Amino acid sequence: MKNIAILSISFLLLTGCLKKSENKQVEVVVNDTTTIKTDPLPSWNEGKTKAAIIDYINDVTNKESANFIPELDRIATFDNDGTLWSEQPACFQLFFAIDRIKTMAPEHPEWKNTQPFKAVLEDDMKTLIASGEKRLMKLVMTTHAGMTTDEFEQIVTDWLKTASHPRFDKPFNELVYQPMLELLDYLRANNFKTFIVSGGGIEFMRPWVEDVYGILKDQVVGSSIATEFDYNNGNPVIKRLPELDFIDDKTGKPVGINRFIGRKPVFAAGNSDGDLQMMQWTDSNTYKSFQLYLHHTDADREWAYDRESHIGQFNKGLDEALEKEWTIIDMKNDWKTIYPFQKE
Amino acid sequence: MKNIAILSISFLLLTGCLKKSENKQVEVVVNDTTTIKTDPLPSWNEGKTKAAIIDYINDVTNKESANFIPELDRIATFDNDGTLWSEQPACFQLFFAIDRIKTMAPEHPEWKNTQPFKAVLEDDMKTLIASGEKRLMKLVMTTHAGMTTDEFEQIVTDWLKTASHPRFDKPFNELVYQPMLELLDYLRANNFKTFIVSGGGIEFMRPWVEDVYGILKDQVVGSSIATEFDYNNGNPVIKRLPELDFIDDKTGKPVGINRFIGRKPVFAAGNSDGDLQMMQWTDSNTYKSFQLYLHHTDADREWAYDRESHIGQFNKGLDEALEKEWTIIDMKNDWKTIYPFQKE
């Protein structure tokens, strides 16, 4: 099982694998004479989690409040794997890499006898996981480097059209959380700027996050490999190189936030120990801030895992969330719906 | 003189040192019944440069045009030193570093006898420049690293309040180009997203560019040094380390654009050979693109320099701009006003 951890880490390297409210309604002025109430978070069950979110947003966007936050400082950062979409039975970028190896295999007959490729081609996860960090990194670089950025975007786009999740038999980017989509919309409707801050690869996310999350490409922070500009006789390209550039996980998250965003967030959402430093960083904001941890508690509708999990381990983060009274989503009880395709 | 080049390069390392139109007016609908015409670029003289800009923007924002560009793809990138503000007699970040050494000197009595600090303290530019790249890098790291990001922001902010430019006796960030401020506004009014893509340090620019240029902190791409997160017993900080992270110059510009923005620009503005690859990258866009080079031709009101200059050299870029018929601003003839404080 330790090797699953190594596998996850290898992927993370470039990829990633309570207050109560009496008013949970938001006022929407439709015209001068009519005011209707709509629920901004219809897929969330009523309860302290939903109330805490709505109370916070009402408070910090209220000009009369001592906690009012100017619009420029309304920065919200979201982890991706396990926070905006599922990450089981393995982070989805690993499925991408495995599929990619299989697609590339006909051009590499030598892979039949070379690890870690042999294990991938034989669906031998045990051997794959046992093959060690160096070989796993080779797998990552083989599948993520050696092409132009345009080519990689096309490869990811094509993969999403054809691949399907082993349990749900849906394209991977349909396994996003409906309640989180609503939360993103709700924040943006209140002039928060929403960013992804993920251990996953930036260029693995950018091809689809605008359509799926409404998060713009330049609002994606993630892990990356090195790239270089090639003038290419007047047809310039940017080439992806087999070399790590930045790991946007754990202490890398505040570093990435500082580098890309240049402001400390006031709102952060995550689900694992990899998000803890982002939470701490956000919690140190002089503005009133909000830390939202998603606890995977729903083995029936999604998965249940936390302290002992080798994917998305939630242990230190859970302790600190409890101690500091950050908001913890209990997926099983707080969410009415998990995925958009399950909506009634 | 070669050493000035080294000095400039050292600073760059972390910092930076025609069609005609009959309609140059933009329609502004004030209310349902009144339409007035305003000039979006009042500090630009009428002529082919101004006309080319306005024609381009009218064309690509016109839904009926074959060259229409959807809003998400309206990415405009601007170099900073020599493009948005002046860069003579040396790039302004060098003045910052020199002033910083002088401010720090009382705590470092040993600097009186240690190069390159001795030269700085004695205003001995000749020796400073002759001290070699290694020592100059030491100067850079001494002045830009070793503090938290919050502390550095405060240092830059304080410096801008007290320092003044040797020729104009104004704060350095008043030496920005009025015509370029108008161009930035004009682009944004047409739903272009404006970015800085500069060899200068990201964190040297972020403290003031929002106020001065209206460019948001998360829309600044630049050179950077390494940073690290420190939990600091519950008062987290990000520390600036004496180690280069990324050089956003020449081939680094397309790389930085890809990393931070994730889209190819359709509009790019620069003034030197350091911007050439950004121009080439933009020029390769499948959308109709615009390359704007600022040629410093005004020795009276600003400075005149190009092919032979050791600051902002404009040689290969000038050749390619002429060959490819990119738009070249002739500062002397195209600009009515240089700086905002000179406006009538």
Side-chain angles (χ1 to χ4, degrees):
Chain A
M1 291 307 277
K2 188 189 159 198
N3 286 329
I4 293 187
I6 291 175
L7 187 67
S8 291
I9 289 163
S10 300
F11 265 82
L12 264 177
L13 284 177
L14 70 87
T15 68
C17 258
L18 277 177
K19 298 183 305 175
K20 286 197 180 168
S21 170
E22 285 159 42
N23 175 16
K24 295 167 208 84
Q25 304 295 314
V26 172
E27 291 195 358
V28 178
V29 178
V30 170
N31 61 41
D32 292 344
T33 53
T34 316
T35 298
I36 57 163
K37 308 227 176 202
T38 49
D39 181 349
L41 301 173
S43 297
W44 296 64
N45 289 317
E46 300 305 321
K48 65 181 184 182
T49 306
K50 179 173 178 174
I53 294 169
I54 292 176
D55 283 353
Y56 173 77
I57 293 184
N58 283 341
D59 187 14
V60 301
T61 59
N62 173 9
K63 280 192 180 162
E64 309 301 315
S65 166
N67 297 317
F68 178 75
I69 301 175
E71 289 187 10
L72 279 180
D73 288 305
R74 295 184 198 165
I75 302 293
T77 53
F78 284 74
D79 169 56
N80 188 38
D81 296 318
T83 298
L84 292 177
W85 71 352
S86 291
E87 60 182 347
Q88 296 280 9
C91 72
F92 295 173
Q93 201 165 348
L94 177 57
F95 287 102
F96 167 76
I98 289 172
D99 288 347
R100 185 84 197 122
I101 290 294
K102 292 179 178 173
T103 303
M104 295 167 77
E107 290 165 38
H108 296 271
E110 74 281 10
W111 284 356
K112 281 180 189 156
N113 302 302
T114 319
Q115 293 296 7
F117 307 106
K118 185 170 184 284
V120 171
L121 297 176
E122 292 171 357
D123 288 318
D124 177 2
M125 289 298 283
K126 200 175 157 189
T127 303
L128 174 62
I129 288 164
S131 67
E133 196 172 342
K134 209 167 166 181
R135 282 184 171 158
L136 289 172
M137 190 53 66
K138 197 176 171 187
L139 183 67
V140 168
M141 292 306 174
T142 302
T143 52
H144 287 72
M147 68 290 277
T148 71
T149 51
D150 283 347
E151 287 164 351
F152 187 71
E153 178 167 354
Q154 193 58 53
I155 289 167
V156 173
T157 303
D158 291 345
W159 176 75
L160 284 170
K161 281 183 195 157
T162 54
S164 62
H165 186 277
R167 175 173 165 190
F168 289 96
D169 196 26
K170 293 275 180 187
F172 286 93
N173 61 355
E174 290 191 21
L175 296 193
V176 298
Y177 303 128
Q178 175 63 26
M180 290 307 225
L181 298 182
E182 293 167 7
L183 177 56
L184 288 169
D185 281 341
Y186 180 37
L187 286 164
R188 288 190 291 254
N190 282 279
N191 298 310
F192 282 75
K193 208 162 176 174
T194 53
F195 290 83
I196 289 173
V197 178
S198 167
I202 290 190
E203 300 202 293
F204 179 72
M205 296 183 279
R206 278 187 173 148
W208 54 274
V209 296
E210 290 190 343
D211 284 344
V212 174
Y213 301 139
I215 293 178
L216 300 180
K217 285 184 177 181
D218 63 300
Q219 285 161 218
V220 180
V221 183
S223 297
S224 54
I225 59 175
T227 58
E228 72 176 4
F229 177 78
D230 179 356
Y231 183 59
N232 191 29
N233 294 316
N235 296 299
V237 292
I238 293 179
K239 288 181 175 168
R240 292 172 58 83
L241 308 178
E243 185 187 323
L244 281 176
D245 171 57
F246 178 61
I247 303 170
D248 190 50
D249 194 45
K250 297 193 166 68
T251 58
K253 291 207 174 192
V255 166
I257 287 169
N258 181 65
R259 183 177 303 168
F260 281 74
I261 306 175
R263 281 194 152 82
K264 194 181 282 188
V266 293
F267 188 105
N271 76 302
S272 78
D273 290 353
D275 301 309
L276 180 55
Q277 287 80 6
M278 173 169 75
M279 297 295 187
Q280 293 166 342
W281 185 234
T282 304
D283 196 29
S284 73
N285 205 312
T286 51
Y287 290 114
K288 184 178 177 181
S289 63
F290 198 91
Q291 291 69 42
L292 183 65
Y293 250 132
L294 173 57
H295 192 182
H296 292 264
T297 53
D298 196 330
D300 291 335
R301 295 187 300 169
E302 207 240 6
W303 285 271
Y305 57 101
D306 49 35
R307 293 185 187 277
E308 303 295 324
S309 177
H310 298 284
I311 297 166
Q313 186 176 44
F314 186 34
N315 184 31
K316 288 183 187 173
L318 182 50
D319 286 338
E320 195 156 328
L322 292 168
E323 183 201 323
K324 296 189 173 169
E325 299 187 352
W326 293 338
T327 300
I328 300 173
I329 301 167
D330 174 350
M331 183 185 273
K332 186 172 180 173
N333 291 306
D334 284 332
W335 284 1
K336 236 177 256 180
T337 305
I338 307 290
Y339 302 121
F341 58 81
Q342 297 166 332
K343 272 195 300 186
E344 280 159 21
Chain B
M1 292 307 278
K2 187 190 162 199
N3 286 327
I4 293 187
I6 291 174
L7 188 67
S8 291
I9 290 161
S10 300
F11 265 82
L12 265 177
L13 285 177
L14 73 86
T15 67
C17 260
L18 289 174
K19 298 181 306 177
K20 286 198 180 168
S21 170
E22 284 158 42
N23 175 18
K24 295 168 206 83
Q25 306 295 314
V26 172
E27 290 197 359
V28 177
V29 178
V30 170
N31 62 41
D32 291 346
T33 53
T34 316
T35 299
I36 58 166
K37 306 229 179 201
T38 51
D39 182 349
L41 300 173
S43 298
W44 297 65
N45 289 316
E46 300 305 321
K48 65 180 182 180
T49 306
K50 180 173 178 173
I53 294 170
I54 292 176
D55 283 350
Y56 173 77
I57 294 184
N58 283 342
D59 186 14
V60 301
T61 60
N62 173 9
K63 280 191 180 162
E64 310 301 315
S65 167
N67 297 316
F68 178 75
I69 301 175
E71 290 188 8
L72 279 180
D73 288 305
R74 294 183 197 166
I75 301 293
T77 53
F78 283 76
D79 170 56
N80 188 37
D81 295 320
T83 298
L84 292 176
W85 72 351
S86 291
E87 60 182 347
Q88 297 281 8
C91 72
F92 295 173
Q93 200 165 347
L94 177 58
F95 286 102
F96 167 77
I98 289 172
D99 289 348
R100 185 85 197 120
I101 290 294
K102 291 178 178 174
T103 303
M104 294 167 78
E107 290 165 39
H108 297 272
E110 75 281 9
W111 285 356
K112 281 179 189 156
N113 302 301
T114 320
Q115 292 297 8
F117 307 106
K118 186 169 181 285
V120 172
L121 297 176
E122 292 171 357
D123 288 320
D124 178 2
M125 290 298 282
K126 200 175 158 190
T127 303
L128 174 62
I129 287 164
S131 66
E133 196 172 342
K134 210 168 170 182
R135 283 182 171 161
L136 290 171
M137 191 51 68
K138 198 176 172 187
L139 184 68
V140 168
M141 291 306 174
T142 302
T143 52
H144 287 72
M147 70 290 279
T148 70
T149 51
D150 283 348
E151 287 163 352
F152 187 71
E153 177 167 357
Q154 193 58 53
I155 289 167
V156 173
T157 303
D158 291 345
W159 176 74
L160 284 169
K161 281 181 192 157
T162 54
S164 62
H165 186 276
R167 174 174 166 191
F168 289 97
D169 196 25
K170 293 275 179 188
F172 286 93
N173 61 355
E174 291 190 20
L175 296 193
V176 298
Y177 303 128
Q178 175 63 27
M180 290 307 226
L181 298 181
E182 293 166 6
L183 176 56
L184 288 169
D185 281 341
Y186 180 38
L187 285 164
R188 288 189 292 253
N190 283 280
N191 299 311
F192 282 76
K193 209 162 177 176
T194 54
F195 290 82
I196 290 173
V197 177
S198 168
I202 289 190
E203 300 203 293
F204 179 73
M205 296 183 279
R206 280 187 173 146
W208 54 273
V209 297
E210 289 190 344
D211 285 346
V212 174
Y213 301 138
I215 292 177
L216 300 178
K217 285 183 178 182
D218 62 299
Q219 286 161 220
V220 180
V221 183
S223 297
S224 54
I225 59 176
T227 57
E228 72 177 2
F229 177 77
D230 179 357
Y231 183 60
N232 192 29
N233 294 315
N235 297 300
V237 292
I238 293 179
K239 288 181 174 169
R240 290 172 59 81
L241 307 178
E243 186 188 321
L244 282 176
D245 171 57
F246 178 61
I247 302 171
D248 189 50
D249 195 43
K250 296 191 167 68
T251 57
K253 291 206 175 195
V255 167
I257 287 168
N258 182 64
R259 183 178 302 170
F260 281 74
I261 306 175
R263 280 195 152 80
K264 194 180 284 188
V266 293
F267 188 106
N271 76 300
S272 78
D273 290 352
D275 302 308
L276 180 55
Q277 287 78 7
M278 173 169 76
M279 297 295 186
Q280 292 166 341
W281 186 234
T282 304
D283 195 30
S284 73
N285 205 312
T286 51
Y287 290 115
K288 183 179 177 181
S289 63
F290 197 91
Q291 291 69 40
L292 183 64
Y293 250 131
L294 172 56
H295 192 184
H296 292 263
T297 53
D298 196 330
D300 292 333
R301 296 186 300 170
E302 206 241 6
W303 284 270
Y305 57 101
D306 48 36
R307 294 186 186 276
E308 302 294 322
S309 178
H310 297 283
I311 298 166
Q313 185 175 45
F314 185 36
N315 185 31
K316 286 184 188 173
L318 182 50
D319 286 339
E320 195 155 328
L322 292 168
E323 184 201 324
K324 295 189 173 168
E325 298 186 353
W326 294 338
T327 300
I328 300 174
I329 301 166
D330 174 349
M331 183 186 272
K332 187 171 178 174
N333 291 307
D334 284 331
W335 284 1
K336 237 178 252 181
T337 306
I338 307 290
Y339 301 122
F341 58 81
Q342 298 167 331
K343 271 195 301 186
E344 280 159 21

